[in-house]
Each structure stands twice: as structure tokens, then as C-alpha cells.
Amino acid sequence: MPASLCGTWEILSNINLEGYMIALGIGLSTRKIALKLKQRKVIEQVRDKYVIKTLSTFRNYVFSFRMDEEFDEFTKGLDERHCKSVVTWEGNRMVCIQKGEKKNRGWAHWIEDDKLHLELYCEGQTCKQVFKRVA
Ligand code: YOG
């Protein structure tokens, strides 16, 4: 059983968010705002149902899913695309594949040294984020 991702997490580092946003087609003015945000993650689990909230002063993105079950994701407030998404455990990594218009899109979360790690992928760009636990 992987270490629990549940809790409240505050961003410490954010590498290549710009490249990831360009790959998603996010416009310049929104990218400038997004680069300055202090993102938080709130991850909750009830049985096999998870909720991941990405919170900021500008916009929030809330995403809920069941493990191993494909569902329709609409990335509201992000790039506003529809994806067929599925989240699975790959060893200690929680891995999401987001099938849709953008190729090689998805993300992976894992715990390392008590930090929450996240890689966001899109069309050859990877954004790497690390969060520390605050609750
Ligand atoms: O999280 O997919 O935890 O859903 C960061 C990249 C900025 C809006 C969000 C709002 C967003 C404009 C990744 C930032 C780049 C920029 C706070 C969310 C796109 C648009 C919402 C995400 C996964 C994994 C779970």
C-alpha cells in the first residue's frame, strides 16, 4: 500500500509550468498570472473515491474519480478540454492518463522524503512540482 497522498499540501517548487502551459495552448496573459500563483493541493479519499483540489487565489480546479475507472474529465478553468481519464496505481505512483486532443497527456503523483511530487505531462513537455505537507 503506497504512502497516503491525503492531506493539504503547499507548493515548494515548480519547474517548466511555462512549457506545460504552452503545450496546452494557454495564452500569454493567463500564463503570466499562473506562473505567480502559490498552488495548494488538497487530496481526500473516501473508500475508492478520491478528490484532488488544486487551489489558488486565481482559480481552483477540482477533480474526483475512482481508481481504475475511466471517466469524462473537463478541465474547466485550465485549458477547457474534454478528456477520457483513468487513474491507476503504478507501484507507489498514482498515475493519470488523459486521452483527448493533446497527445501524451497525463500526470503522476508520489511521495518522496515526506514531500508530494507531481509531474504533469503534455506533448513532450513535463512540469515538475514538489509540495510540502501543511495539514
Ligand atoms: O492536477 O491537473 O494533481 O487534477 C496547474 C497547471 C491556473 C489556470 C494545474 C490555475 C495549470 C491557468 C494542474 C492554477 C495550467 C493555467 C490552479 C491541475 C493550465 C492553465 C488551478 C491538475 C491534477 C494532479 C489533478
Side-chain angles (χ1 to χ4, degrees):
M1 187 68 184
S4 177
L5 307 184
C6 294
T8 300
W9 304 86
E10 194 173 271
I11 199 159
L12 289 176
S13 62
N14 197 0
I15 296 168
N16 197 36
L17 177 61
E18 177 72 353
Y20 175 74
M21 289 193 291
I22 290 171
L24 287 176
I26 306 298
L28 179 62
S29 54
T30 304
R31 295 203 310 270
K32 281 187 174 171
I33 296 167
L35 284 174
K36 292 183 184 161
L37 297 172
K38 280 279 172 202
Q39 293 182 32
R40 280 186 160 225
K41 291 280 176 193
V42 177
I43 304 182
E44 296 162 343
Q45 179 192 2
V46 179
R47 289 183 288 276
D48 62 340
K49 180 99 185 263
Y50 283 82
V51 181
I52 302 183
K53 299 173 188 168
T54 306
L55 305 177
S56 75
T57 53
F58 177 53
R59 281 177 200 161
N60 299 323
Y61 182 67
V62 177
F63 171 69
S64 39
F65 56 91
R66 284 199 165 79
M67 279 293 168
D68 303 315
E69 217 172 80
E70 189 178 80
F71 55 91
D72 296 309
E73 179 176 13
F74 178 60
T75 58
K76 187 174 164 57
L78 304 180
D79 61 315
E80 311 245 315
R81 284 191 177 85
H82 293 272
C83 303
K84 294 277 184 197
S85 301
V86 63
V87 185
T88 57
W89 287 110
E90 290 185 11
N92 65 340
R93 290 160 60 98
M94 177 191 271
V95 175
C96 180
I97 293 171
Q98 295 169 303
K99 273 189 286 175
E101 183 190 338
K102 293 290 176 182
K103 301 301 159 211
N104 300 315
R105 180 172 185 176
W107 51 259
H109 269 298
W110 69 95
I111 303 273
E112 204 177 300
D113 299 329
D114 297 325
K115 304 287 196 299
L116 177 72
H117 290 247
L118 171 62
E119 283 179 352
L120 295 154
Y121 315 97
C122 183
E123 304 207 321
Q125 293 291 320
T126 300
C127 171
K128 176 73 206 285
Q129 300 182 332
V130 180
F131 298 77
K132 70 169 180 187
R133 191 185 280 282
V134 291

